[in-house]
Each structure stands twice: as C-alpha cells, then as structure tokens.
Amino acid sequence: MNEKEFGAKLKPWLDRSAAQVGELQATRLKAARLKALDAYREPASFGGLVGLNGLLGATRHTLLQRVLMVLPLIALVATLAVRSLNEDVDLGELDAQLLSQELPPDAFIDQDFRSWLGKSHS
Amino acid sequence: MARQIAQLIAVLAAALMLGSAVARDRDLKTPQTPWHQVPREQQRALQPVAPEWDRMPGYQQQRLMGAARKYPEMQPIQKERFEARLKDWAAMSPDQRRAARETFQGLRKLPPEKQHELRERWIQQHGGEDVGAPRSRGPSTPDYSRAPPR
C-alpha cells in the first residue's frame, strides 16, 4: 500500500468526522497542529520528494516530536470514536419517538419485520 | 515505510479502542438518580416504571429521563402510547432495546410510502390488535442484575 492508497482509505474517516468536531476541539487541534509544525524540521528531500517515511521515520526527530506530529490525528480519531459510541447524543429523543409512534417496540425486534425491512433496503 | 504505516494504524486502532472503553466506562459509572430527584414533569411521564426505578442502572435512568423530557411536546395519542409501552420497554434487555432502535432508525430511512406499507403489513399480520398497547412478552419485571451497557 503506497501513501496515496493509504491516504484515500483514511480520508473518508477524517471527512466524516471533521464536520462533527466542535469549535473548542477544533481550536485545540489547530493549536496542537501549530505546535507540531513549530517542532517540525524539513526532512531529507531528494528531488522534491518527501514521504511519510521522511516525516515519521527520520531518526533526527525525537520521540516527543513524533508524538506531537501525530497528536492532532489521535485527538481527532479519539473524538470521533467517543462521538460515534456516544449515540445517546440523543438516545432519549430517539426512544421517545420510538415509544410514541404507531407500532409497538415489539415490532422492531420482530424477526419478520426486520427481514421485510432488510428486503426493502436492498 | 511499511513499518511507519503499521505504526500509524496501531495508533489509530488504539485511539478507537480508547474511545470505546471511555464510552463503556462512562455508561457503567453513570450514577443512579433517586426517584424523588426526578423532575416532577418527568415523574409524570415515567410513572409506569416508578416501582422499578430504584433498581434500574443509572445509564438506563438517564435515557428514560431523556425520553421523558420529550413527553410534554407529544400529542395526546402519543402520550397514551408512551405511557402504555414504557414498562415493557424498560423490561427489555439492553440488546433488545438496541436492536429495536436500529430497526426503527432503518425504518425511518425508507421513503414514507414504504414505511407505511411495512407498518400496515405488520399490523395486518398481528390481527389488527391494539398496536397502541404492548403485547405481553414474558415477565414484566426486568432483571437489572445483568445490565450490559445500552
């Protein structure tokens, strides 16, 4: 897997969650990024080609510098993970809708109903 | 190069696992809310589960309170359904509730006419019984001793 392929795989994850990042978190991420950029030194470059290897693998970067470079990414992924698992963002509201609409909750755990629904989606 | 990518993937996986663990831990640590501390308006909506309230885990109480917050905005028929179904809903296992939510969300993604068709089909198959009231599904007193998150 080359950098482009890896980037293409990672991009949807980052795009999906970027919109959900709050202002405070965005500011923190920006600050961490700027800090990482300050600590960044130009890696070895041959004919203008600089790779991920140059960014993370250069031996002249200390462990702390490397951590700072990936910190924004870690923060972003952790935020996303917490948010996605946090779907009780408003589970209460969802439950209220579920309990007050036409069908009883039993319908939604009924195997027949779930199978019809599956077919309707396919 | 491959080593760096592997390291990055490991970091991403660790961050995801951390997020997941934090959410689970938070669920289990949610403190219980004594019945007398539940706002009066919500107590009205949650009356059907009042006898079991103090035995429910904190995260379930919070979610029921979240649902009860919407009660004042409901139409009379919706309030009636909510009250009639609440006890059985609270008695479902966390897995059943999660499955029901997923199915309900799946239904809402369908076009309205398709949703209507599925509702009608289910109602017909269940003999036009009163869909406002829950059907009996075994014991109505839940076992709160085993309470996985959600």
Side-chain angles (χ1 to χ4, degrees):
Chain A
M1 187 189 290
N2 62 28
E3 282 176 49
K4 280 191 177 175
E5 288 169 338
F6 178 73
K9 286 193 175 179
L10 187 62
K11 187 175 179 291
W13 278 81
L14 298 176
D15 283 345
R16 192 167 52 181
S17 50
Q20 297 174 354
V21 174
E23 199 178 333
L24 181 63
Q25 285 145 337
T27 309
R28 283 182 181 162
L29 286 171
K30 194 174 175 184
R33 181 177 173 272
L34 289 174
K35 202 172 172 183
L37 285 174
D38 283 342
Y40 172 77
R41 277 181 295 172
E42 193 67 25
S45 168
F46 300 98
L49 294 174
V50 178
L52 185 65
N53 193 35
L55 280 173
L56 296 176
T59 49
R60 64 179 180 227
H61 290 298
T62 64
L63 181 63
L64 180 65
Q65 284 173 322
R66 290 184 197 191
V67 169
L68 285 175
M69 279 189 260
V70 292
L71 197 60
L73 189 60
I74 296 171
L76 183 64
V77 174
T79 306
L80 287 179
V82 170
R83 287 204 173 211
S84 68
L85 291 162
N86 233 2
E87 278 171 359
D88 57 287
V89 176
D90 220 349
L91 273 189
E93 185 169 350
L94 180 68
D95 289 358
Q97 288 171 6
L98 195 156
L99 290 172
S100 59
Q101 50 74 58
E102 198 178 350
L103 291 181
D106 279 345
F108 299 105
I109 51 173
D110 181 89
Q111 282 308 319
D112 288 341
F113 190 84
R114 290 166 69 104
S115 117
W116 302 336
L117 185 64
K119 282 177 193 158
S120 299
H121 277 293
S122 57
Chain B
M1 175 69 169
R3 194 168 151 235
Q4 270 79 41
I5 290 175
Q7 282 174 344
L8 200 55
I9 289 171
V11 167
L12 292 175
L16 282 170
M17 282 192 289
L18 176 71
S20 145
V22 166
R24 262 198 304 273
D25 193 48
R26 190 212 49 199
D27 259 356
L28 294 172
K29 282 185 178 165
T30 305
Q32 284 187 306
T33 306
W35 179 253
H36 68 269
Q37 284 181 14
V38 176
R40 185 152 302 202
E41 190 67 39
Q42 290 174 29
Q43 277 189 359
R44 250 189 72 202
L46 297 171
Q47 198 58 47
V49 292
E52 292 93 33
W53 184 261
D54 289 334
R55 284 184 289 127
M56 288 182 192
Y59 70 87
Q60 192 183 0
Q61 291 177 339
Q62 288 301 316
R63 284 166 196 171
L64 287 173
M65 286 166 71
R69 271 194 280 275
K70 297 286 162 189
Y71 183 82
E73 301 160 22
M74 291 178 190
Q75 299 298 315
I77 178 70
Q78 293 177 315
K79 287 184 175 174
E80 217 172 282
R81 289 170 181 157
F82 184 90
E83 288 163 12
R85 295 165 177 171
L86 191 61
K87 197 176 173 73
D88 270 21
W89 174 249
M92 281 181 173
S93 72
D95 283 341
Q96 284 177 316
R97 283 195 295 269
R98 186 175 51 231
R101 287 183 193 115
E102 282 170 7
T103 312
F104 178 57
Q105 285 177 308
L107 179 71
R108 292 201 303 186
K109 284 178 190 158
L110 291 177
E113 63 277 12
K114 199 76 192 166
Q115 291 185 28
H116 178 73
E117 188 189 314
L118 287 187
R119 283 197 190 99
E120 288 300 309
R121 195 168 164 189
W122 193 87
I123 290 167
Q124 273 177 14
Q125 196 179 72
H126 290 78
E129 64 189 76
D130 179 9
V131 293
R135 291 176 298 139
S136 128
R137 192 193 334 93
S140 61
T141 305
D143 175 11
Y144 295 119
S145 58
R146 55 176 202 89
R150 289 200 164 214

